Amino acid sequence: MKTIKVGGVPEHFNLPWHLCIEEKLFEDKDLNVIWKDFPGGTGEMNKALRSGEIDVAVILTEGIIKDIISGNESKIIQTYIGSPLVWGIHVAAGSKYKSVEELKNTKAAISRKGSGSHLMSYVNAQNHEWNTDNLKFEIIKDLDGAVKALKEDKAQYFMWEHFTTKPLVDKRVFRRLSDCPTPWPCFVIAARNETLKNEPERIKRMLEVLNKETNRFKDLPKIAEKLAERYDQQLEDIKKWLEITSWSQEQISEEELEKVQDKLLELNLISKKQPTSEFIHNL
């Protein structure tokens, strides 16, 4: 069996992949799908796609679009999560800051340049009419790094997915000041151009297996309980998250690509827009 190496964040969004692997649904279609966790998020995955460490990534829409413009030889093969991602804006539990407005001119903790936490800090700044030229960053690699940076006041705020960080809010490590949803579907599946050229049929089969699983995912028996247990979440939080989250089995639309590029251009994160054909590959 040919191996397909897939990368994604170790978060509840990706349980359908793990169920497909654990229940040997990929194997049944003569596919050996190996999963690798990337706690550092999108910036770390872009690097892994570029190097060939992974063939496929489940990655933030805005992050892969920006990196393809910057030379990442990969394409989007499908939207994965069709709903927005809710980014919580967090400070240390003992922080003096009580509102997002007070964070103006302070330093944001980000996993790395080009990551979701980096790009969304620009979206948040624009939402609050801050001058984005004045944004300052502390690179912290992952969630553990953010805990340390906020505790030691090396950074004053940190943006990460609302429900992933909720246990840290419950434990009074972080305090969440507000939320900042993405203005577009949040996760896509991207594959290296080389993999798409060499293994188109296998990638197509992999998506067919995954899409069948995501299509029925919310109806699986006791799925909320399983998610809560595996991802150290409160059951009520997982139920709320399931209500606002939808999985997609479709390719990203041209309108959504335009919206993301327009926003990146407006924020001076890219110098010019690219045609749709630069970003998508239909299997």
Side-chain angles (χ1 to χ4, degrees):
M1 281 191 289
K2 180 75 178 176
T3 297
I4 303 170
K5 295 170 287 184
V6 182
V9 288
E11 294 174 12
H12 35 295
F13 295 94
N14 287 322
L15 184 57
W17 285 92
H18 295 291
L19 295 181
C20 287
I21 292 167
E22 289 161 19
E23 294 167 16
K24 303 193 185 310
L25 303 180
F26 290 126
E27 274 187 40
D28 290 347
K29 297 293 182 182
D30 202 32
L31 299 168
N32 182 32
V33 174
I34 294 176
W35 180 271
K36 180 170 182 184
D37 276 333
F38 284 85
T42 291
E44 195 181 5
M45 279 187 273
N46 275 323
K47 191 177 172 186
L49 279 171
R50 283 170 176 259
S51 71
E53 182 186 348
I54 54 174
D55 303 300
V56 174
V58 186
I59 194 163
L60 289 174
T61 309
E62 62 275 19
I64 187 64
I65 287 173
K66 182 180 182 298
D67 211 52
I68 288 171
I69 292 171
S70 300
N72 186 336
E73 294 192 0
S74 299
K75 294 279 193 295
I76 295 169
I77 53 174
Q78 189 185 295
T79 301
Y80 178 61
I81 300 290
S83 46
L85 191 71
V86 181
W87 289 82
I89 304 165
H90 305 88
V91 295
S95 167
K96 65 180 180 180
Y97 300 106
K98 306 294 182 194
S99 69
V100 177
E101 287 72 19
E102 291 174 24
L103 296 172
K104 186 178 181 180
N105 298 324
T106 65
K107 193 180 278 188
I110 62 168
S111 51
R112 66 191 65 218
K113 292 284 181 75
S115 65
S117 51
H118 181 218
L119 302 182
M120 284 303 294
S121 61
Y122 281 89
V123 173
N124 176 61
Q126 190 186 48
N127 289 347
H128 291 276
E129 299 181 347
W130 301 346
N131 182 347
T132 53
D133 292 339
N134 295 338
L135 288 175
K136 298 190 284 282
F137 303 105
E138 179 78 15
I139 296 173
I140 48 81
K141 292 189 177 175
D142 54 25
L143 201 48
D144 291 337
V147 170
K148 190 169 184 283
L150 264 58
K151 187 179 178 183
E152 296 174 359
D153 204 35
K154 288 180 179 172
Q156 287 67 53
Y157 69 101
F158 175 61
M159 296 180 66
W160 207 254
E161 198 271 328
H162 174 112
F163 293 95
T164 303
T165 44
K166 179 66 165 45
L168 291 170
V169 173
D170 292 341
K171 291 170 188 167
R172 293 182 166 74
V173 175
F174 287 159
R175 183 159 38 85
R176 188 174 58 252
L177 299 183
S178 187
D179 285 322
C180 180
T182 58
W184 42 71
C186 57
F187 281 108
V188 294
I189 303 169
R192 284 166 52 79
N193 293 346
E194 187 182 352
T195 304
L196 291 170
K197 182 184 173 186
N198 295 337
E199 305 293 343
E201 280 308 309
R202 285 191 174 91
I203 296 295
K204 188 176 181 180
R205 251 184 293 151
M206 181 190 76
L207 285 186
E208 285 168 359
V209 172
L210 177 73
N211 287 337
K212 195 172 176 183
E213 186 68 12
T214 59
N215 214 12
R216 67 178 190 139
F217 183 68
K218 285 193 183 186
D219 298 322
L220 292 173
K222 295 206 173 291
I223 193 59
E225 288 81 357
K226 187 177 283 191
L227 282 157
E229 185 182 344
R230 282 181 71 145
Y231 294 95
D232 190 25
Q233 297 276 342
Q234 298 292 330
L235 185 57
E236 63 195 62
D237 291 331
I238 282 293
K239 285 179 175 175
K240 281 182 201 167
W241 172 75
L242 279 169
E243 278 176 20
I244 63 168
T245 302
S246 61
W247 281 261
S248 171
Q249 294 82 32
E250 307 294 329
Q251 178 59 285
I252 191 169
S253 70
E254 290 191 18
E255 291 76 19
E256 284 154 355
L257 277 171
E258 285 290 308
K259 188 189 280 190
V260 176
Q261 286 202 84
D262 285 342
K263 181 60 77 175
L264 292 173
L265 191 62
E266 192 183 333
L267 293 168
N268 294 317
L269 294 171
I270 57 173
S271 56
K272 63 176 182 177
K273 288 167 65 177
Q274 302 286 348
T276 306
S277 58
E278 291 294 311
F279 302 101
I280 63 173
H281 179 93
N282 294 311
L283 289 155

